């Protein structure tokens, strides 16, 4: 019935798994148009409709997500009804667009039925953050022996009339006239996008005795009122209702004044991608002897005719997602820890395709082929040194610091690292570059050293130097293997976890360097046919 088009919004809107559910990076609005659809009506033009299907991550089943309106009598529809999807960088999100006629007459196999134009736009809903600063004046004294230590607590009102805490300032010691530091808060956290929703702000005294906090009073305001900035409208009387009820002459418990209010639009990972930033992907594979003889089924490098080995699964899982962010899809592929022909030289930075001057492979399939060919030509040896491949990618990253390119190195390894000190130095040096490192551990070994390199709990350091930012993500592949033997699901789970940190690492580099996204190019307009909207 009509035609079908399958696209990938890379970076699956799949089955919901409450144990592994991700928080979407953002929401994307998809708009669909068509040009030159096949006319199947006899006496008039066709009446098309678009049906969107999403694909499950594990079972690959297609499920209807939604459908557009029917547009009468046109072969060039611009559908008004949009599709709004959660976007996950770390997942492959396959979409299928089916085009049907209101009165189906059957499709024509193998015949071109027209052109589909799909536009994906990130929704800007509440991407604003606001920087605010407050001061207090003549707040009530609460400490018996000295002045008070006040701080502010902000509460957002909910639709059910409850309140949710959304921010707390620092404590200012020993004063009744505090000036709190400026702070930044997302607008969605402050008012959930409702500019007129009132919230409450409570000045509170932090007492040293038993850690008890003493209530001074409160006032209420809205985002819209605060957005007026510093003015007589944003000087608030702090009122303690209990005191007011008891004392007839009670006026207030001091005042709080808004000193500054500055709105900032938060840029996202997709803003940079739309602006042309390229993600450069490099893979480095462990060819040390501890992997076992590749000719034996017990080897982690064994090339079974029936299924991928762990190295190939990890490479394919991560690479097939990242490749869609690289326009030329040419990827350097390196190996380490092997003896190379013809002289048996040990190398920790050799090109899998055998060409050290041009180690690039065409697509992930090209990387896979080069990996298989290397297994047939090199001798697995050792030791397990990471620093040469880290330095290899870092050299390229150091040459492009303007935000136009970002580098991701995938290291797949089976065991204990041999050059820990040198690798820590290399990672610390790379932490100031546009670069991230993914380490996937395969096999049954203990990976304690890799956890140290990950730096999630303790920032990696060496000889008194600390990494500028966290750029390493480590996972053991065995934690993601599906017990039922579903390798597609195993690979999807692995990719989901190892890639989840990349957007934040990417943004941390851009923000610390003050790099803004380049303007997005103008939207694509197909040649020949003028765009007209049917209503």
């Amino acid at each position: 019935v009509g035609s079908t088009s399958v696209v990938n919004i890379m970076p699956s809107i799949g089955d919901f798994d409450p144990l592994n559910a991700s928080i979407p990076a953002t929401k994307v609005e998809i708009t669909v148009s068509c040009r030159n659809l096949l006319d199947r009506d006899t006496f008039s033009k066709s009446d098309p409709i678009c049906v969107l299907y999403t694909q499950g991550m594990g079972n690959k089943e297609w499920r209807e997500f939604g459908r557009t309106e029917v547009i009468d009598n046109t072969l060039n529809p611009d559908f008004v009804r949009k599709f709004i999807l959660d976007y996950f960088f770390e997942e492959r999100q396959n979409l299928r667009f089916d085009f049907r006629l209101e009165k189906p007459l059957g499709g024509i196999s193998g015949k071109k039925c027209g052109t589909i134009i799909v536009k994906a736009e990130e929704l800007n809903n509440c991407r604003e953050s606001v920087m605010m600063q407050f001061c207090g004046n003549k707040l009530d004294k609460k400490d018996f022996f000295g002045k008070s230590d006040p701080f502010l607590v902000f509460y957002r009102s909910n639709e059910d009339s409850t309140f949710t805490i959304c921010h707390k300032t620092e404590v200012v010691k020993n004063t009744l006239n505090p000036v709190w530091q400026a702070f930044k808060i997302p607008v969605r956290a402050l008012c959930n996008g409702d500019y007129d929703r009132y919230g409450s702000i409570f000045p509170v005294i932090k007492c040293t005795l038993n850690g008890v906090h003493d209530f001074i009073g409160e006032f209420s305001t809205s985002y819209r009122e605060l957005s007026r900035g510093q003015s007589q409208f944003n000087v608030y009387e702090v009122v303690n209702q209990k005191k007011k009820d008891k004392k007839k002459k009670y006026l207030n418990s001091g005042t709080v004044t808004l000193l500054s209010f500055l709105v900032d639009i938060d840029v996202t990972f997709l803003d940079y991608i739309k602006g042309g930033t390229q993600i450069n992907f490099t893979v480095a594979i462990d060819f040390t002897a501890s992997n076992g003889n590749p000719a034996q089924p017990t080897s982690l490098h064994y090339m079974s005719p029936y299924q991928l080995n762990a190295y190939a699964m990890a490479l394919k899982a991560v690479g097939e997602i990242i490749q869609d962010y690289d326009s030329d899809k040419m990827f350097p592929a390196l190996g380490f820890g092997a003896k190379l022909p013809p002289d048996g030289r040990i190398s920790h930075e050799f090109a899998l395709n055998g060409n050290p001057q041009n180690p690039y492979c065409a697509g992930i399939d090209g990387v896979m082929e080069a990996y298989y060919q290397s297994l047939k030509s090199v001798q697995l040896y050792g030791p397990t040194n990471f620093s040469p491949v880290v330095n290899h990618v870092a050299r390229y990253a150091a040459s492009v610091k303007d935000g136009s390119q970002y580098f991701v190195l995938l290291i797949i390894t089976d065991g204990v690292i041999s050059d820990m000190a040198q690798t820590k130095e290399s990672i610390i040096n790379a932490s100031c570059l546009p670069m991230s490192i993914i380490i996937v551990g395969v096999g049954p070994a203990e990976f304690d050293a890799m956890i140290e390199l990950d730096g999630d709990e303790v920032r990696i350091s060496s000889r008194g130097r600390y990494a500028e930012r966290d750029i390493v993500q480590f996972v053991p592949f065995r934690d993601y293997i599906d017990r039922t033997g579903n390798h597609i699901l195993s690979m999807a789970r692995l990719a989901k976890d190892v890639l989840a940190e990349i957007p934040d690492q990417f943004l941390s580099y851009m923000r610390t360097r003050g790099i803004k996204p380049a303007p997005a190019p103008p939207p694509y307009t197909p040649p020949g046919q003028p765009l007209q909207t049917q209503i």
Side-chain angles (χ1 to χ4, degrees):
V1 182
S3 62
T4 297
S5 179
V6 179
V7 302
N8 172 258
I9 69 159
M10 282 308 305
S12 95
I13 310 291
D15 304 317
F16 178 70
D17 180 352
L19 296 178
N20 295 297
S22 300
I23 299 174
T26 189
K27 287 185 180 291
V28 172
E29 180 184 75
I30 292 180
T31 304
V32 181
S33 301
C34 297
R35 295 294 175 264
N36 302 317
L37 289 180
L38 196 64
D39 191 0
R40 305 309 310 274
D41 283 7
T42 305
F43 300 107
S44 65
K45 293 185 173 65
S46 299
D47 305 330
I49 182 174
C50 175
V51 182
L52 173 62
Y53 292 85
T54 58
Q55 192 174 44
M57 187 168 68
N59 55 25
K60 295 298 182 182
E61 290 182 358
W62 291 101
R63 296 179 178 177
E64 181 176 331
F65 180 85
R67 53 182 64 199
T68 65
E69 75 281 10
V70 175
I71 300 182
D72 295 336
N73 196 31
T74 181
L75 304 180
N76 302 293
D78 294 313
F79 296 104
V80 175
R81 191 171 298 161
K82 319 288 187 185
F83 301 110
I84 296 177
L85 301 170
D86 289 333
Y87 162 84
F88 300 90
F89 167 80
E90 66 272 18
E91 296 181 30
R92 173 175 287 273
Q93 296 173 259
N94 291 321
L95 307 178
R96 190 180 88 201
F97 296 87
D98 282 9
F99 295 92
R100 306 175 180 179
L101 309 180
E102 182 65 5
K103 297 177 181 178
L105 300 175
I108 300 177
S109 177
K111 184 170 182 178
K112 183 177 179 181
C113 298
T115 301
I116 175 176
I117 304 165
V118 179
K119 297 179 181 178
E121 183 174 3
E122 185 178 13
L123 293 180
N124 287 337
N125 186 28
C126 276
R127 284 175 54 187
E128 299 98 342
S129 290
V130 59
M131 180 82 76
M132 294 187 287
Q133 186 177 23
F134 291 87
C135 70
N137 186 48
K138 297 181 180 178
L139 297 179
D140 279 357
K141 180 180 176 182
K142 293 290 183 178
D143 283 6
F144 187 74
F145 295 107
K147 294 178 182 177
S148 302
D149 305 334
F151 62 97
L152 295 177
V153 183
F154 292 72
Y155 287 87
R156 180 185 73 233
S157 62
N158 302 316
E159 292 181 0
D160 60 359
S161 299
T162 61
F163 287 85
T164 300
I165 187 170
C166 57
H167 184 72
K168 185 161 54 176
T169 69
E170 81 285 2
V171 174
V172 180
K173 294 280 190 180
N174 198 32
T175 181
L176 301 179
N177 301 295
V179 178
W180 291 282
Q181 293 179 13
F183 62 91
K184 188 175 183 180
I185 184 172
V187 172
R188 65 178 179 273
L190 196 62
C191 63
N192 205 26
D194 183 351
Y195 291 177
D196 295 306
R197 179 180 299 185
Y198 274 75
S200 291
I201 304 176
F202 299 163
V204 179
I205 296 299
K206 180 179 178 62
C207 295
T208 56
L209 181 63
N210 298 326
V212 176
H213 296 166
D214 213 346
F215 177 73
I216 299 175
E218 68 176 295
F219 63 93
S220 296
T221 187
S222 68
Y223 177 87
R224 193 174 300 280
E225 289 181 356
L226 291 170
S227 66
R228 297 174 178 177
Q230 186 179 22
S231 68
Q232 71 270 24
F233 299 108
N234 280 320
V235 179
Y236 299 95
E237 289 191 342
V238 178
V239 177
N240 187 320
Q241 194 61 44
K242 288 184 178 179
K243 277 191 173 183
K244 187 175 182 180
D245 293 340
K246 290 179 181 179
K247 298 179 180 180
K248 290 184 179 181
K249 294 185 178 181
Y250 175 85
L251 293 177
N252 58 53
S253 295
T255 61
V256 169
T257 301
L258 176 69
L259 294 178
S260 62
F261 185 95
L262 181 64
V263 178
D264 187 28
I265 303 296
D266 289 334
V267 296
T268 68
F269 174 74
L270 283 184
D271 288 328
Y272 291 92
I273 298 302
K274 287 191 294 185
T277 297
Q278 296 286 306
I279 306 294
N280 295 300
F281 177 56
T282 301
V283 62
I285 295 177
D286 184 337
F287 281 82
T288 56
S290 55
N291 285 281
N293 185 346
Q296 301 297 322
T298 54
S299 172
L300 294 168
H301 281 304
Y302 179 62
M303 291 186 291
S304 167
Y306 306 108
Q307 67 182 45
L308 299 175
N309 63 36
Y311 278 90
M313 279 197 282
L315 169 57
K316 195 174 180 68
V318 177
E320 284 193 342
I321 289 178
I322 287 190
Q323 70 174 349
D324 287 333
Y325 295 88
D326 188 318
S327 59
D328 66 10
K329 300 202 173 17
M330 297 295 293
F331 307 114
L334 309 174
F336 58 91
K339 284 187 173 182
L340 307 185
D343 56 358
R345 174 178 57 90
I346 300 171
S347 175
H348 299 289
E349 184 190 347
F350 64 90
L352 296 189
N353 65 3
N355 185 351
Q357 280 72 44
N358 184 15
Y360 291 84
C361 302
I364 297 305
D365 289 340
V367 176
M368 298 280 284
E369 179 61 27
Y371 162 58
Y372 290 138
Q373 290 301 320
S374 288
L375 285 174
K376 299 175 183 177
S377 62
V378 305
Q379 178 188 346
L380 273 59
Y381 202 69
T384 306
N385 291 351
F386 284 4
S387 58
V389 293
V390 173
N391 293 336
H392 176 100
V393 176
R395 285 194 295 272
Y396 287 93
S399 66
V400 189
K401 296 182 181 179
D402 60 357
S404 63
Q405 298 185 52
Y406 193 85
F407 296 79
V408 176
L409 168 62
L410 170 64
I411 300 175
I412 313 175
T413 183
D414 82 313
V416 179
I417 184 171
S418 305
D419 65 337
M420 186 66 174
Q422 295 92 328
T423 297
K424 288 168 74 172
E425 284 283 326
S426 297
I427 291 172
I428 291 168
N429 292 336
S431 67
C432 63
L433 301 174
M435 176 175 169
S436 291
I437 302 169
I438 298 167
I439 304 173
V440 177
V442 296
E446 294 297 323
F447 295 107
D448 293 346
M450 307 303 172
I451 295 171
E452 182 181 350
L453 294 178
D454 192 310
D456 279 346
E457 296 181 5
V458 179
R459 183 64 59 89
I460 186 173
S461 64
S462 174
R463 296 187 294 182
R465 294 175 60 225
Y466 284 82
E468 181 178 309
R469 58 194 183 91
D470 177 18
I471 65 169
V472 179
Q473 168 77 336
F474 165 74
V475 296
F477 191 24
R478 59 176 176 252
D479 290 355
Y480 301 88
I481 296 175
D482 181 65
R483 294 178 181 176
T484 65
N486 185 336
H487 294 307
I488 293 175
L489 188 56
S490 300
M491 292 162 63
R493 286 173 174 168
L494 174 71
K496 186 182 179 77
D497 231 30
V498 299
L499 293 173
E501 290 188 11
I502 296 294
D504 283 343
Q505 292 177 358
F506 174 100
L507 288 171
S508 74
Y509 175 81
M510 299 299 179
R511 286 168 180 161
T512 56
R513 297 299 183 275
I515 299 172
K516 300 292 185 182
Y524 170 75
T525 301
Q529 182 73 37
L531 291 177
Q532 294 180 344
T533 301
Q534 291 78 23
I535 300 176

